[in-house]
Short mmCIF file of all heavy atoms in Angstrom, two decimals:
data_model
loop_
_atom_site.label_atom_id
_atom_site.label_comp_id
_atom_site.label_asym_id
_atom_site.label_seq_id
_atom_site.Cartn_x
_atom_site.Cartn_y
_atom_site.Cartn_z
N LYS A 174 7.06 -8.03 19.47
CA LYS A 174 8.16 -7.07 19.53
C LYS A 174 8.28 -6.20 18.27
O LYS A 174 9.28 -5.53 18.08
CB LYS A 174 9.46 -7.79 19.83
CG LYS A 174 9.46 -8.33 21.28
CD LYS A 174 10.74 -9.00 21.66
CE LYS A 174 11.84 -7.98 21.95
NZ LYS A 174 13.10 -8.67 22.33
N ALA A 175 7.27 -6.22 17.45
CA ALA A 175 7.31 -5.37 16.25
C ALA A 175 6.81 -3.97 16.61
O ALA A 175 6.00 -3.82 17.53
CB ALA A 175 6.42 -5.97 15.17
N PRO A 176 7.28 -2.94 15.91
CA PRO A 176 6.80 -1.58 16.17
C PRO A 176 5.28 -1.49 16.03
O PRO A 176 4.68 -2.18 15.21
CB PRO A 176 7.50 -0.76 15.09
CG PRO A 176 8.71 -1.55 14.75
CD PRO A 176 8.31 -2.98 14.87
N ARG A 177 4.67 -0.64 16.85
CA ARG A 177 3.22 -0.56 16.83
C ARG A 177 2.72 0.02 15.49
O ARG A 177 3.47 0.70 14.78
CB ARG A 177 2.69 0.20 18.04
CG ARG A 177 3.18 1.57 18.19
CD ARG A 177 2.60 2.20 19.47
NE ARG A 177 2.85 3.62 19.45
CZ ARG A 177 3.98 4.19 19.85
NH1 ARG A 177 4.95 3.46 20.33
NH2 ARG A 177 4.14 5.50 19.79
N PRO A 178 1.46 -0.26 15.19
CA PRO A 178 0.93 0.12 13.85
C PRO A 178 1.14 1.59 13.50
O PRO A 178 1.47 1.91 12.35
CB PRO A 178 -0.56 -0.22 13.96
CG PRO A 178 -0.65 -1.25 15.03
CD PRO A 178 0.46 -0.98 15.98
N GLU A 179 0.97 2.48 14.45
CA GLU A 179 1.11 3.90 14.14
C GLU A 179 2.54 4.22 13.69
O GLU A 179 2.74 5.05 12.79
CB GLU A 179 0.71 4.74 15.38
CG GLU A 179 0.85 6.23 15.23
CD GLU A 179 0.18 6.82 13.97
OE1 GLU A 179 -0.87 6.31 13.54
OE2 GLU A 179 0.76 7.79 13.42
N LEU A 180 3.51 3.56 14.30
CA LEU A 180 4.90 3.79 13.87
C LEU A 180 5.12 3.29 12.44
O LEU A 180 5.84 3.89 11.66
CB LEU A 180 5.87 3.09 14.83
CG LEU A 180 5.93 3.68 16.24
CD1 LEU A 180 6.83 2.81 17.14
CD2 LEU A 180 6.46 5.12 16.21
N ARG A 181 4.46 2.19 12.11
CA ARG A 181 4.60 1.66 10.74
C ARG A 181 3.96 2.61 9.74
O ARG A 181 4.49 2.83 8.64
CB ARG A 181 3.97 0.27 10.64
CG ARG A 181 4.70 -0.75 11.52
CD ARG A 181 4.10 -2.14 11.37
NE ARG A 181 3.94 -2.77 12.65
CZ ARG A 181 3.35 -3.94 12.83
NH1 ARG A 181 2.88 -4.60 11.80
NH2 ARG A 181 3.24 -4.47 14.05
N LEU A 182 2.81 3.20 10.12
CA LEU A 182 2.20 4.19 9.22
C LEU A 182 3.11 5.40 9.08
O LEU A 182 3.20 6.01 8.00
CB LEU A 182 0.84 4.62 9.76
CG LEU A 182 -0.31 3.63 9.58
CD1 LEU A 182 -1.54 4.11 10.34
CD2 LEU A 182 -0.64 3.42 8.10
N GLY A 183 3.79 5.75 10.16
CA GLY A 183 4.76 6.86 10.10
C GLY A 183 5.87 6.55 9.11
O GLY A 183 6.35 7.43 8.40
N ALA A 184 6.25 5.28 9.04
CA ALA A 184 7.30 4.88 8.08
C ALA A 184 6.78 5.01 6.65
O ALA A 184 7.49 5.47 5.75
CB ALA A 184 7.73 3.44 8.35
N VAL A 185 5.51 4.65 6.45
CA VAL A 185 4.91 4.81 5.10
C VAL A 185 5.01 6.29 4.69
O VAL A 185 5.46 6.61 3.60
CB VAL A 185 3.43 4.36 5.12
CG1 VAL A 185 2.74 4.71 3.80
CG2 VAL A 185 3.32 2.86 5.40
N GLU A 186 4.63 7.14 5.61
CA GLU A 186 4.61 8.58 5.32
C GLU A 186 6.02 9.11 5.03
O GLU A 186 6.25 9.84 4.06
CB GLU A 186 3.99 9.34 6.51
CG GLU A 186 3.75 10.77 6.22
CD GLU A 186 2.85 11.44 7.27
OE1 GLU A 186 2.50 10.79 8.27
OE2 GLU A 186 2.54 12.60 7.08
N ALA A 187 6.97 8.71 5.87
CA ALA A 187 8.34 9.20 5.70
C ALA A 187 8.93 8.73 4.37
O ALA A 187 9.60 9.49 3.67
CB ALA A 187 9.21 8.70 6.86
N LEU A 188 8.66 7.49 4.01
CA LEU A 188 9.19 6.96 2.74
C LEU A 188 8.57 7.70 1.56
O LEU A 188 9.26 8.10 0.63
CB LEU A 188 8.97 5.46 2.64
CG LEU A 188 9.78 4.58 3.60
CD1 LEU A 188 9.27 3.14 3.58
CD2 LEU A 188 11.27 4.59 3.25
N ALA A 189 7.24 7.85 1.62
CA ALA A 189 6.54 8.51 0.52
C ALA A 189 7.07 9.95 0.35
O ALA A 189 7.30 10.41 -0.77
CB ALA A 189 5.04 8.51 0.77
N LYS A 190 7.29 10.62 1.48
CA LYS A 190 7.79 12.00 1.42
C LYS A 190 9.20 12.06 0.85
O LYS A 190 9.59 13.03 0.22
CB LYS A 190 7.77 12.64 2.81
CG LYS A 190 6.38 13.10 3.21
CD LYS A 190 6.40 13.93 4.45
CE LYS A 190 5.00 14.45 4.74
NZ LYS A 190 4.76 14.65 6.17
N ALA A 191 9.97 10.98 1.07
CA ALA A 191 11.35 10.95 0.56
C ALA A 191 11.36 10.55 -0.92
O ALA A 191 12.44 10.48 -1.54
CB ALA A 191 12.17 9.96 1.38
N GLY A 192 10.19 10.20 -1.47
CA GLY A 192 10.14 9.83 -2.90
C GLY A 192 10.31 8.34 -3.14
O GLY A 192 10.58 7.91 -4.26
N VAL A 193 10.14 7.54 -2.10
CA VAL A 193 10.25 6.08 -2.25
C VAL A 193 8.83 5.54 -2.47
O VAL A 193 7.91 5.90 -1.73
CB VAL A 193 10.85 5.45 -0.97
CG1 VAL A 193 10.93 3.92 -1.12
CG2 VAL A 193 12.22 6.04 -0.67
N VAL A 194 8.66 4.66 -3.45
CA VAL A 194 7.32 4.11 -3.68
C VAL A 194 7.06 3.05 -2.61
O VAL A 194 7.88 2.17 -2.36
CB VAL A 194 7.08 3.56 -5.11
CG1 VAL A 194 7.05 4.69 -6.11
CG2 VAL A 194 8.12 2.54 -5.49
N VAL A 195 5.89 3.18 -1.98
CA VAL A 195 5.62 2.37 -0.80
C VAL A 195 4.14 1.95 -0.79
O VAL A 195 3.27 2.67 -1.28
CB VAL A 195 6.01 3.16 0.49
CG1 VAL A 195 5.30 4.49 0.60
CG2 VAL A 195 5.80 2.36 1.75
#
Side-chain angles (χ1 to χ4, degrees):
K174 291 183 77 180
R177 57 182 193 276
E179 178 51 34
L180 292 175
R181 296 182 224 175
L182 284 172
V185 172
E186 189 167 4
L188 290 170
K190 281 190 176 150
V193 179
V194 291
V195 57

